[in-house]
Amino acid sequence: MSDLASRLAAVHQGIEDAAARAGRSAAEITTVVVTKFHPAQLVRDLHALGVRDFGENRHQEAQAKAAELADLDLLWHFVGQVQSNKARQVAAYAGLVHSFDRESLVAPLAGTPVLIQVNLTDDPGRGGVRPEGVERLAQAALDGGLDVRGLMAVAPLGAEPRAAFARVRELSDGLRRVAPDAGALSMGMSGDYADAILEGATHLRIGTAITGNRPPQG
Ligand SMILES: *Cc1c(COP(=O)(O)O)cnc(C)c1O
């Protein structure tokens, strides 16, 4: 087995184990492999191993890879901050935008399913709406006809991830009072996906545990 195949298999096993501990089926959990900074060839290699869901966090790189790999049946997940003047272009290739976080993105993202990104830190530069703003933003999105599917969050550095994910799960309960179908929960990365599964994650965003270390950013 290649290193890539064995890392992928190890993560799949880790997901199975955590799902079993949570009394959940791994089949209800989508693993998005985050391939940022890696060449398009890595996406091809992962596709050959059965991966179909890929995540990117920078528009230019994502757009270029989506074009280069247009011959493959892939679903692109956009997980980075969406610049207002690029939002329409992101919507053109992304099957799910995990980082919807403000009202001005409602119109340009219309027609594309989105998750509301919640910012669990005190740093507004991280992207995401403050937890107390989730329901108001959801209402505005629904009023504007946006297809809201759920929430996305990153566990803050230095915090206990399981507690952070439990908080997201509570916010999800509130969101579903406004948007009953918005039950998706995108949370959990290479270092904390087992905790995320225990708290109900439906989408994991896993990079390095599968891809290996990212090449230096150029
Ligand atoms: C890079 C990235 C990930 C994956 O991180 P790893 O620690 O490599 O698994 C997940 N989510 C977002 C938003 C990212 O930018």
Side-chain angles (χ1 to χ4, degrees):
M1 228 198 281
S2 69
D3 288 350
L4 186 62
S6 51
R7 283 191 302 262
L8 181 65
V11 169
H12 281 156
Q13 188 60 54
I15 292 169
E16 291 281 348
D17 293 348
R21 272 197 286 145
R24 303 180 60 200
S25 162
E28 69 189 44
I29 299 167
T30 300
T31 301
V32 177
V33 182
V34 181
T35 47
K36 62 190 183 203
F37 310 137
H38 286 284
Q41 185 58 47
L42 182 80
V43 177
R44 280 195 191 281
D45 295 344
L46 284 162
H47 182 272
L49 294 169
V51 178
R52 294 294 178 269
D53 290 272
F54 292 91
E56 289 284 335
N57 75 337
R58 296 189 305 182
H59 164 62
Q60 281 200 337
E61 180 180 349
Q63 187 181 46
K65 276 184 205 167
E68 189 172 343
L69 299 165
D71 58 310
L72 301 182
D73 55 324
L74 307 178
L75 188 76
W76 289 104
H77 297 252
F78 192 77
V79 304
Q81 290 185 43
V82 182
Q83 286 177 262
S84 298
N85 61 345
K86 296 286 162 35
R88 240 172 250 287
Q89 292 178 47
V90 170
Y93 58 79
L96 182 63
V97 173
H98 292 227
S99 41
F100 167 73
D101 65 357
R102 58 195 187 276
E103 236 177 293
S104 62
L105 296 175
V106 171
L109 292 179
T112 300
V114 304
L115 305 178
I116 296 175
Q117 183 180 351
V118 189
N119 183 353
L120 300 175
T121 75
D122 294 324
D123 175 5
R126 294 258 159 205
V129 64
R130 309 271 320 175
E132 55 273 20
V134 167
E135 288 176 46
R136 212 172 69 96
L137 180 61
Q139 193 58 61
L142 294 174
D143 292 346
L146 200 60
D147 183 2
V148 179
R149 299 283 174 90
L151 292 178
M152 181 273 237
V154 177
L157 276 177
E160 211 285 296
R162 178 125 190 219
F165 297 142
R167 177 143 191 240
V168 180
R169 189 212 270 268
E170 282 171 28
L171 292 169
S172 169
D173 293 340
L175 171 62
R176 278 179 297 157
R177 283 194 289 273
V178 179
D181 298 329
L185 282 179
S186 168
M187 54 190 196
M189 312 187 352
S190 290
D192 56 20
Y193 68 85
D195 284 323
I197 290 168
L198 291 170
E199 293 299 337
T202 62
H203 291 69
L204 311 172
R205 307 178 314 272
I206 302 189
T208 49
I210 293 173
T211 64
N213 288 335
R214 286 184 272 275
Q217 311 176 33

